[in-house]
Amino acid sequence: MAAACAFALGACMSVSTQKIAMVPVAPADPVHTIQLSRVVIAPLPNDSSVTLPSGSQWRRVGALPQGDVYRSQSGLFTVQTRRQGEAYVVATSGKMVGFYLPGESAFMPLSRPVTLPVEMRQ
């Protein structure tokens, strides 16, 4: 379902990424989940965008120097880069700053940060 909601506009999806290793959440850390209160449209560096659905829930799974990393709880969330692949939201200070691409071990920054309308935190 989330994969159907994640879309990119444009045929050529070449975006720049930075190779980086995610530090996973320790098993002893408390579960931290956010839920979006409205649709979020994230601008990608190649003049396309992806959509995060309203009501979607994201669980913190790790961290990068750029921010905390959240994985969709409702199934696979994907973005189109050089190829379509799973993507995790990277956020800091209430703003989404990019995506972590676990299949590539890479960070893809957004064109500009986007405020995350968080409805619920656990």
Side-chain angles (χ1 to χ4, degrees), residues 9-92:
L9 303 174
C12 183
M13 300 302 294
S14 179
V15 293
S16 118
T17 60
Q18 305 164 18
K19 285 286 189 185
I20 194 161
M22 180 182 75
V23 177
V25 171
D29 285 353
V31 174
H32 184 79
T33 302
I34 59 174
Q35 180 173 328
L36 302 180
S37 62
R38 63 176 169 77
V39 169
V40 173
I41 298 173
L44 298 179
N46 60 357
D47 295 327
S48 66
S49 62
V50 295
T51 301
L52 283 66
S54 176
S56 60
Q57 294 185 355
W58 302 80
R59 181 178 179 172
R60 185 173 177 266
V61 294
L64 301 174
Q66 294 86 348
D68 289 327
V69 179
Y70 294 86
R71 182 178 187 182
S72 173
Q73 288 195 288
S74 58
L76 192 65
F77 182 82
T78 61
V79 295
Q80 185 74 37
T81 57
R82 287 175 220 98
R83 65 175 199 264
Q84 186 164 349
E86 186 171 16
Y88 302 166
V89 168
V90 179
T92 186

